[in-house]
Each structure stands twice: as structure tokens, then as C-alpha cells.
Amino acid sequence: MGREAAAAAEKGQGGTAYTVEQLVAFNRYNPDILPDLENYVSDQVSSQTYSLESNLCLLRLYQFESEKMSSQIVARILVKALMAMPAPDFSLCLFLIPERVQMEEQFKTLIVLSHYLETGRFRQFWDGASKSRHIVEAVPGFEQAIQGYAIHVLSLTYQKIPRTVLAEAINVEGLSLDKFLEHQVENSGWVIEKSQGKGQLIVLPRNEFNDPILKKNTADSAPLEHVTRIFPILS
């Protein structure tokens, strides 16, 4: 640990996370903090926490210290960024990674997986992830995070979905899916209906995105300042 890290650690009471936040805040362009930031990526993986700011700081330093770049660390940063979807963290991180590095096989795989998630092609995503377990399973909680994102997308898009569509989106079937649905019915307001054919229909809670009436009412009542805040996000 460098001098700055040691000094911060002596003063800080929040542990490693607090120390790294101090380093990023006051020494973000100091290459001496590279080892501390790399260790913090490993800490994020083991503790299932996440710090986009510190990870971006590390990627920026790699731009100036390319000979010190760790492909393993960069891959873990990108996997953690995928887990943060629908936030645009993956694109923010990728922007700081040189194209020659992006051409490495593991990074090309992660880029393809991100495209599948962004376009809602969940079956292709899970197929691709299953062929790259050595990359994604190195980060605990990956599957659960992507399942949460898939449910988020479905909830914003549909009022009702067939059980088979849900199973494909979250990559869960059989008894495991039964237990998941039971949990969602009890805790998230889901309703299970029998479809006219075989199988089940999952009724999702209505919201301003999947229900035109709620969307209209929300749009009619939204203050101008709330609307204008959206413009920078969309631009």
C-alpha cells in the first residue's frame, strides 16, 4: 500500500472502501494508487459491493500506465458494470479501454453480451454466458443481477407474459421457477392466470411504462421541471 493509502487508512474508520474513496477524491491521477484500486476491485468482487467511481479512476490510470494494465481486473470491472444495468456503466467503462484491448477475446465476448442485454435478447445472452462461465462466474452474484435486470425490462414492457417467456428471460425452469413465482406473488404483486392454451400467464403490476392510461395520467401531471431533467439523460 502506498504512502497516501497508508495515511488514509490510519485516519479512516470506514475500512477499505473509505480509504479508496479518499484516494480517488484527492489522488485520482497519481499512479501510486494503482495497486490500491486494483485490490479494491477484488474486494468488490468478494464482498459483492460496487464502486463505479473507483473503477473508472482505475481505468483512466491504465490509459497512462498501459504496461501495468491487468486484463483480469479489467474483465471483472466490465462484469460488475454489466451487473449494474440498466445503468450505462458498461459503456462508460468501455470508453476508457483502448480498442486494441477490446479486441481480446474475453472483452469481445463481454461486449456481445452487453448488446444482447441492451436489446432484450435474453436467450442469446444466457447461451453466450454459459459458454463463457470462466469470465462471468468469477464474479459472485452475476446471475442474480442479470435476472433482476431481465425482470425490470419485462415489467416495463408487458402487463402479461407467458411463463415460457419469463423462464427464457431469467434462465430458470421447473421447480426453481415455481418457487420464484411463489415469492413474486407473495411479495411483488404478481398474479398467475391460466392461459387459453397450455401453461400459465404471469400478470405483472401496472406502471406508467406498461400501461398507456397510467402513462397518460403521469404525463398530464408531471411538472415541467421533472420533464426537463430527462433531456440531459436522453441526449
Side-chain angles (χ1 to χ4, degrees), residues 2-216:
R3 258 179 218 175
E4 294 86 358
E10 289 175 1
K11 293 187 296 182
Q13 298 179 352
T16 302
Y18 179 80
T19 301
V20 171
E21 289 172 358
Q22 293 295 307
L23 290 172
V24 171
F26 299 110
N27 296 280
R28 65 175 61 238
Y29 297 111
N30 185 348
D32 290 341
I33 71 172
L34 259 172
D36 302 285
L37 294 177
E38 289 178 330
N39 289 335
Y40 190 45
V41 173
S42 299
D43 289 343
Q44 292 174 58
V45 171
S46 60
S47 63
Q48 296 193 44
T49 56
Y50 182 57
S51 173
L52 174 63
E53 184 178 6
S54 65
N55 293 345
L56 290 176
C57 182
L58 175 56
L59 293 176
R60 290 191 195 98
L61 288 175
Y62 277 154
Q63 290 183 315
F64 300 103
E65 304 282 338
S66 57
E67 72 282 359
K68 297 181 180 179
M69 178 180 289
S70 166
S71 293
Q72 182 185 65
I73 293 292
V74 174
R76 290 181 176 179
I77 287 175
L78 289 178
V79 172
K80 294 291 284 187
L82 275 183
M83 294 166 61
M85 292 188 73
D89 298 13
F90 187 88
S91 296
L92 294 175
C93 292
L94 197 64
F95 181 75
L96 297 174
I97 300 173
E99 288 188 14
R100 60 175 178 79
V101 178
Q102 294 183 30
M103 293 307 295
E104 293 182 22
E105 197 60 38
Q106 61 179 336
F107 300 127
K108 289 196 293 185
T109 296
L110 290 172
I111 291 170
V112 170
L113 292 179
S114 74
H115 289 329
Y116 286 151
L117 289 179
E118 289 170 358
T119 54
R121 290 182 284 175
F122 296 112
R123 180 177 60 80
Q124 290 93 328
F125 169 83
W126 291 115
D127 288 345
S130 68
K131 298 173 184 176
S132 309
R133 293 185 183 277
H134 62 289
I135 302 174
V136 299
E137 290 188 352
V139 181
F142 175 79
E143 184 176 6
Q144 293 83 352
I146 302 303
Q147 288 170 338
Y149 169 69
I151 293 169
H152 169 77
V153 172
L154 294 176
S155 298
L156 296 184
T157 310
Y158 303 105
Q159 293 182 13
K160 295 182 180 183
I161 55 172
R163 177 188 171 109
T164 53
V165 172
L166 175 65
E168 181 178 278
I170 64 175
N171 198 38
V172 176
E173 296 179 333
L175 291 176
S176 296
L177 182 57
D178 289 338
K179 292 180 180 179
F180 171 78
L181 286 173
E182 182 179 343
H183 175 82
Q184 293 299 107
V185 168
E186 293 178 356
N187 297 279
S188 301
W190 290 20
V191 176
I192 299 177
E193 294 182 349
K194 290 185 178 180
S195 63
Q196 293 180 349
K198 295 181 179 180
Q200 297 173 324
L201 272 179
I202 314 302
V203 182
L204 303 174
R206 296 189 176 188
N207 56 67
E208 62 183 288
F209 298 99
N210 68 11
D211 189 323
I213 296 177
L214 289 178
K215 183 175 183 179
K216 181 178 184 303

Side-chain angles (χ1 to χ4, degrees), residues 207-234:
N207 56 67
E208 62 183 288
F209 298 99
N210 68 11
D211 189 323
I213 296 177
L214 289 178
K215 183 175 183 179
K216 181 178 184 303
N217 291 340
T218 302
D220 290 344
S221 60
L224 179 60
E225 62 267 26
H226 290 179
V227 176
T228 54
R229 285 177 195 164
I230 300 174
F231 295 155
I233 300 173
L234 297 179

